């Protein structure tokens, strides 16, 4: 009896030692003993048991463990993965610590207004649901639940090409003008059909994702999938025709021989899209000043600074660090949004102070969705809004228009 017990104690001590090691105090995937660990939670503060209702959550990280508990390993792997060593995923979080906040005092902050005006629409908050494919892999209500939550709370939602509910149904569930994100595929006929359908359904803004021209190396996803004992091939068939089986935006489109990602996605496609649609065109995945300048030259209406949540190339560079050079290049001529790694109200505050108009979240609302459906997404939004508004008050900022670079210190080069 004593031997295995002793071994358990030793194992627990070892795990505790490993957990407290700075090397492992990093989010991302790690093999720990016989278990694949992937967590964004870095704090050493005791977290308590896994939450069983949205109201128990103290911050958005609390939803990650609850999501992991509910999801099959392969689906959690898809949600959590970065690429290669997940270094860019970690960089996105670490980047925020390179900017510090300069609060101002003695301002009347009894009332603060975090509302956002963007392309003629007003939203209650600058926090946007970023496009994420396949949400029924996380909860049976998928995008419909996310849309209901975003609509109820007054947030903009961007719907992925890879949605598992149709644009028309998601728009109805949201109740407001949602945006459509486009993977144009490698076939113009398909891109045109997707664009026309979104436009006909009343979409005001088209978001072209430009950071995945060549597939990606999602090792963490593959490792999680290997621990899944279910028969995945009963849902997932190979190739694009397999992928689109549960993707209503491709209904009635012949995708024989079509590729989802195109290595020939160039500025030419941007030009063609501008000629094809009256919707505003926003490019998602811009990370440099040079490309921001080209966006302006090609008549692009807005930019989303994004590295796909560390799921595209392993650049090792956080989006918050990319933001200042893009803001400097654009000089207020078109709105800049940003996503990747936003988990705290202070993150939102720093990005808006640096010149972003709005920020997108991906994994946090998907954790909320996976764990509790619509109420989970609503609680994620409540927590982030509450943290952001608290930071506005602490810093003496009463509206987004009053937020500027004087509220942050850039520590990147000091
Ligand atoms: C599960 C998942 C699916 C995603 N699907 C898409 C997609 O279909 N189109 C797209 O442009 N971005 C997609 N993204 C990227 C998000 O739009 C966003 O850039 C990213 O999640 C932001 O980083 P965060 O997860 O750290 O908040 C996806 C992200 C995740 C986590």
């Amino acid at each position: 009896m004593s031997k295995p017990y002793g071994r358990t104690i030793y194992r627990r001590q070892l795990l505790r030692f490993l957990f407290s090691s700075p090397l492992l105090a990093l989010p991302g995937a790690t093999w720990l003993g016989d278990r694949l660990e992937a967590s964004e939670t870095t704090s050493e503060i005791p977290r308590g048991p896994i939450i069983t209702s949205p109201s128990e959550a103290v911050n958005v990280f609390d939803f990650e463990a609850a999501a992991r508990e509910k999801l099959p390993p392969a689906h959690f792997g898809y949600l959590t993965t970065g690429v290669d060593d997940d270094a860019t995923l970690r960089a996105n979080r670490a980047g925020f610590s390179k900017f510090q906040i300069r609060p101002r005092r003695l301002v009347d902050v009894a009332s603060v207004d975090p509302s956002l005006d963007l392309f003629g629409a007003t939203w209650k908050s600058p926090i946007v649901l970023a496009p994420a494919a396949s949400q029924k892999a996380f909860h049976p209500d998928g995008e419909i639940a996310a849309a209901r939550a975003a609509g109820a709370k007054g947030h903009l939602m961007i719907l992925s090409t890879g949605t598992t509910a149709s644009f028309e149904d998601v728009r109805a569930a949201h109740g407001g003008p949602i945006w459509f994100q486009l993977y144009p595929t490698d076939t113009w006929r398909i891109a045109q059909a997707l664009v026309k359908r979104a436009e006909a359904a009343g979409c005001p803004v088209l978001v072209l994702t430009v950071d995945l021209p060549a597939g990606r190396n999602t090792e963490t996803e593959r490792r999680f999938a290997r621990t899944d004992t279910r028969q995945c091939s009963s849902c997932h068939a190979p190739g694009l025709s397999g992928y689109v089986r549960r993707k209503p935006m491709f209904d009635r489109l012949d995708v024989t021989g079509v590729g989802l990602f195109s290595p020939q996605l160039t500025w030419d496609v941007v030009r063609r899209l501008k000629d094809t649609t009256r919707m505003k065109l926003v490019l998602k995945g811009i990370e440099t000043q040079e490309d921001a300048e080209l966006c302006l030259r090609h008549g692009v209406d807005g930019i989303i600074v994004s590295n796909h949540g560390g799921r595209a190339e392993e650049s090792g560079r956080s989006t918050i660090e990319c933001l200042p050079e893009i803001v400097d290049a654009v000089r207020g001529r078109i709105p800049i949004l940003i996503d990747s790694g936003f988990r705290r109200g202070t993150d939102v505050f720093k990005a808006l102070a640096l010149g972003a108009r709005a920020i997108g979240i991906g994994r946090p609302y998907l954790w909320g969705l996976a764990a509790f459906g619509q109420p989970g997404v609503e609680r994620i939004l409540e927590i982030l809004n509450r943290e952001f508004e608290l930071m506005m008050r602490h810093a003496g900022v009463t509206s987004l228009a009053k937020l500027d670079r004087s509220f942050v210190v850039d520590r990147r080069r000091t």
Side-chain angles (χ1 to χ4, degrees):
M1 282 302 285
S2 67
K3 242 182 163 186
Y5 180 67
R7 258 210 308 268
T8 309
I9 296 277
Y10 170 73
R11 206 174 125 79
R12 260 193 223 133
Q13 279 168 346
L14 178 69
L15 289 179
R16 211 171 292 142
F17 167 76
L18 287 172
F19 266 124
S20 62
S21 150
L23 278 177
L24 285 175
L26 292 169
T30 318
W31 278 102
L32 214 53
D34 53 1
R35 191 172 143 81
L36 180 58
E37 283 301 328
S39 168
E40 294 205 3
T41 306
T42 55
S43 167
E44 287 173 28
I45 296 165
R47 308 199 73 78
I50 293 174
I51 57 168
T52 56
S53 79
S55 60
E56 286 170 27
V58 173
N59 59 36
V60 300
F61 294 108
D62 287 338
F63 287 87
E64 188 189 14
R68 178 164 181 184
E69 197 183 46
K70 295 257 172 86
L71 289 177
H75 291 192
F76 183 75
Y78 168 61
L79 168 48
T80 205
T81 196
V83 289
D84 294 6
D85 299 310
D86 293 348
T88 310
L89 177 76
R90 291 192 293 276
N92 280 334
R93 291 295 306 132
F96 290 106
S97 64
K98 299 183 185 166
F99 298 88
Q100 298 164 348
I101 294 172
R102 299 181 68 243
R104 301 297 310 278
R105 306 300 190 203
L106 302 165
V107 179
D108 180 349
V109 289
S111 149
V112 296
D113 175 11
S115 68
L116 161 76
D117 293 318
L118 198 54
F119 294 131
T122 302
W123 304 98
K124 283 194 184 146
S125 162
I127 299 166
V128 175
L129 298 196
S134 307
Q135 293 185 24
K136 284 188 184 157
F138 307 131
H139 188 275
D141 299 336
E143 292 82 359
I144 299 290
R148 286 195 180 123
K153 298 279 173 198
H155 289 249
L156 169 63
M157 173 174 183
I158 308 174
L159 187 68
S160 165
T161 297
T163 176
T164 40
S166 73
F167 184 91
E168 296 80 0
D169 289 348
V170 177
R171 191 192 186 288
H174 182 282
I178 62 170
W179 299 2
F180 182 64
Q181 174 268 329
L182 179 70
Y183 285 133
T185 75
D186 60 3
T187 305
W188 180 245
R189 161 181 66 80
I190 303 285
Q192 245 179 337
L194 292 168
V195 169
K196 291 285 171 211
R197 178 165 169 185
E199 189 163 40
C203 176
V205 179
L206 182 69
V207 175
L208 174 68
T209 297
V210 296
D211 55 16
L212 283 182
R216 55 187 172 182
N217 183 31
T218 51
E219 291 185 11
T220 296
E221 178 182 25
R222 278 169 24 221
R223 290 194 188 284
F224 269 97
R226 284 203 322 217
T227 70
D228 203 318
T229 51
R230 299 163 318 137
Q231 191 49 263
C232 296
S233 58
S234 56
C235 291
H236 300 275
L240 186 64
S241 52
Y243 176 80
V244 303
R245 262 202 332 220
R246 285 183 193 75
K247 304 290 188 306
M249 296 311 287
F250 292 89
D251 284 354
R252 295 180 300 281
L253 296 178
D254 177 7
V255 296
T256 321
V258 173
L260 183 59
F261 303 119
S262 169
Q264 288 176 326
L265 175 54
T266 63
W267 293 102
D268 209 43
V269 176
V270 173
R271 247 181 249 123
R272 288 176 95 178
L273 284 171
K274 288 286 295 175
D275 292 342
T276 301
T277 179
R278 290 185 313 277
M279 290 183 280
K280 300 274 186 208
L281 182 63
V282 168
L283 262 51
K284 174 173 182 281
I286 299 296
E287 296 181 74
T288 61
Q289 164 199 326
E290 293 89 330
D291 282 341
E293 277 158 9
L294 285 168
C295 283
L296 290 166
R297 214 175 300 158
H298 287 84
V300 166
D301 300 291
I303 287 173
I304 304 182
V305 180
S306 173
N307 57 31
H308 222 107
R311 298 162 73 87
E313 83 291 330
E314 185 81 306
S315 67
R317 190 174 181 225
S318 70
T319 55
I320 194 74
E321 290 172 277
C322 300
L323 181 61
E325 69 176 64
I326 293 169
V327 170
D328 290 344
V330 167
R331 283 184 282 120
R333 284 171 283 179
I334 55 175
I336 298 169
L337 290 76
I338 179 170
D339 70 28
S340 300
F342 286 78
R343 306 288 181 265
R344 286 284 188 188
T346 49
D347 304 338
V348 181
F349 185 92
K350 288 173 187 178
L352 298 196
L354 287 170
R357 291 285 297 284
I359 72 93
I361 53 168
R363 292 181 190 82
Y365 85 88
L366 301 173
W367 296 332
L369 176 68
F372 305 110
Q374 179 183 343
V377 181
E378 287 190 19
R379 181 78 180 126
I380 289 284
L381 294 172
E382 268 166 34
I383 290 173
L384 288 175
N385 284 322
R386 191 198 60 211
E387 289 183 7
F388 175 57
E389 284 176 36
L390 186 62
M391 191 59 240
M392 287 178 77
R393 287 198 162 87
H394 278 311
V397 174
T398 52
S399 72
L400 302 193
K402 299 213 169 103
L403 200 40
D404 62 26
R405 275 198 197 177
S406 71
F407 288 92
V408 281
V409 185
D410 184 345
R411 291 279 183 221
R412 281 174 302 166
R413 280 180 213 91
T414 54

